[in-house]
Amino acid sequence: QVQLVESGGALVQPGDSLRLSCAASGGPISSYAMGWFRQAPGKEREFVAAISWAGGSTVHADSVKGRFTISRVNAKRMVYLQMNNLQPEDTAVYYCAAYAGCSANGPPVYWGQGTQVTVSS
């Protein structure tokens, strides 16, 4: 059983940067592809970014491409989401997720509890 704990959410102003962290425990996290999702009030949860088990392959949603970057350090069992030039539409609860295999195919099987990011002037 994999446990995921997110941190780093905050209230920031438009144009600011923020880095979210996801600490993984309880399983061979280095074997899993990892991802970030977000859910804004009144909207469905949406994909943000994913990274393969070794970090060699990443994919980002069009809405965040060029502004957000996913990364991981397997030795520390950590996954990160660097968010630059944040905009009000980025306001959401951000979730860390682990996929069942080494690539981000199919739905994640493990989820964190989420961390709130609010972008407002």
Side-chain angles (χ1 to χ4, degrees), residues 56-90:
S57 177
T58 62
V59 59
H60 297 79
D62 288 344
S63 59
V64 305
K65 200 171 294 183
R67 299 188 299 124
F68 292 11
T69 303
I70 188 172
S71 62
R72 67 190 297 166
V73 180
N74 285 340
K76 295 184 177 180
R77 304 173 68 83
M78 296 293 294
V79 181
Y80 305 99
L81 185 68
Q82 178 67 41
M83 304 185 294
N84 298 328
N85 190 24
L86 283 160
Q87 300 300 315
E89 53 266 33
D90 296 317

Side-chain angles (χ1 to χ4, degrees), residues 35-60:
W36 287 95
F37 290 73
R38 67 185 181 185
Q39 186 167 20
K43 295 187 177 181
E44 294 187 353
R45 189 175 298 186
E46 65 174 359
F47 170 80
V48 175
I51 186 167
S52 61
W53 70 278
S57 177
T58 62
V59 59
H60 297 79

Side-chain angles (χ1 to χ4, degrees), residues 17-37:
S17 296
L18 202 60
R19 188 178 80 159
L20 303 183
S21 299
C22 173
S25 62
I29 195 66
S30 60
S31 299
Y32 295 112
M34 300 293 294
W36 287 95
F37 290 73

